[in-house]
Amino acid sequence: MMTETARRYGGSLYELALEEGMVDEVLAQLREVLDLMKENPQYERLLAEPSITKKERTQLIDEAFGSSLWPYLLNFLKLLCEEGYISELRGCYKEYRRRYNGDHGISEAIVTSARELTEAQKAALLDKLEKMSGKKVEMICLVNPALIGGVRLDFEGKRYDGTAAERLKTLRSIIRNTTV
């Protein structure tokens, strides 16, 4: 669930990038920053540490990203840090991405299966989703062995669940509710 803070800040960053003609570059740079923070979770904790002054924390951002980021994005990171919202960065990215996808006719599909889909299965599913929606689709494939078999698809605000785990759950419910 995205917070109102993330929605507001991420949306504001998107509007600024749009005005400056930098939406693609900022999206890529935001992704890089998040990837670095994922690889180094202690860095995000350091930026949120209240015992370190705001000035020292913003200097850490300058040292880490300095000239490699669009100046407004660098200032955005510093603002999040100063306001104590650095933990909202992932949500800001999600809102930015949501706005970007909407403006570019892109839909995101999250496909979860019990085991890794083959490249042919991924390609066939992507083709079907693009034809069905009339949009470019970016597909994220996840593996969850607990699903037993089948595929669960989260696409355009709907969930399509064709997993064996869901079928078993439905069957259990039918059996419990059936009187003999």
Side-chain angles (χ1 to χ4, degrees):
M1 183 91 179
M2 187 185 320
T3 66
E4 183 58 34
T5 300
R7 193 177 328 281
R8 192 169 4 112
Y9 277 72
S12 295
L13 179 62
Y14 183 80
E15 290 297 323
L16 180 60
L18 188 62
E19 286 176 20
E20 298 292 321
M22 295 287 294
V23 291
D24 293 319
E25 294 85 351
V26 172
L27 180 64
Q29 289 179 6
L30 263 173
R31 183 74 253 154
E32 289 174 20
V33 169
L34 283 172
D35 287 345
L36 286 170
M37 287 191 174
K38 186 177 181 180
E39 291 171 15
N40 304 290
Q42 67 279 9
Y43 182 70
E44 185 177 342
R45 285 192 296 274
L46 184 65
L47 293 178
E49 179 56 50
S51 67
I52 299 173
T53 67
K54 290 178 183 181
K55 184 178 180 181
E56 290 172 316
R57 287 183 276 159
T58 57
Q59 283 177 320
L60 289 171
I61 291 172
D62 270 329
E63 291 168 10
F65 302 109
S67 62
S68 67
L69 294 181
W70 182 50
Y72 289 165
L73 179 55
L74 185 66
N75 289 336
F76 177 78
L77 293 174
K78 290 178 186 179
L79 177 66
L80 289 179
C81 191
E82 288 171 350
E83 297 297 323
Y85 293 144
I86 199 69
S87 64
E88 298 282 350
L89 184 59
R90 280 174 194 73
C92 293
Y93 171 79
K94 286 179 183 176
E95 176 62 14
Y96 187 100
R97 182 68 192 215
R98 187 190 69 75
R99 299 276 305 272
Y100 179 92
N101 286 353
D103 285 354
H104 291 84
I106 299 170
S107 284
E108 187 175 88
I110 300 174
V111 179
T112 309
S113 56
R115 57 182 164 271
E116 186 74 31
L117 298 177
T118 67
E119 290 306 315
Q121 289 170 323
K122 289 177 188 178
L125 182 55
L126 182 63
D127 184 55
K128 185 168 185 149
L129 292 173
E130 286 182 342
K131 285 178 181 170
M132 184 175 84
S133 68
K135 297 179 180 178
K136 180 181 180 345
V137 175
E138 291 188 358
M139 208 164 61
I140 298 168
C141 294
L142 306 172
V143 175
N144 181 352
L147 298 179
I148 305 169
V151 175
R152 182 176 60 218
L153 172 67
D154 294 294
F155 184 60
E156 295 187 331
K158 294 180 183 167
R159 174 168 277 183
Y160 306 93
D161 199 333
T163 61
E166 181 64 21
R167 290 181 190 148
L168 288 171
K169 181 178 154 189
T170 302
L171 186 57
R172 269 189 228 109
S173 177
I174 291 169
I175 291 170
R176 278 191 201 120
N177 294 325
T178 304
T179 56
V180 181

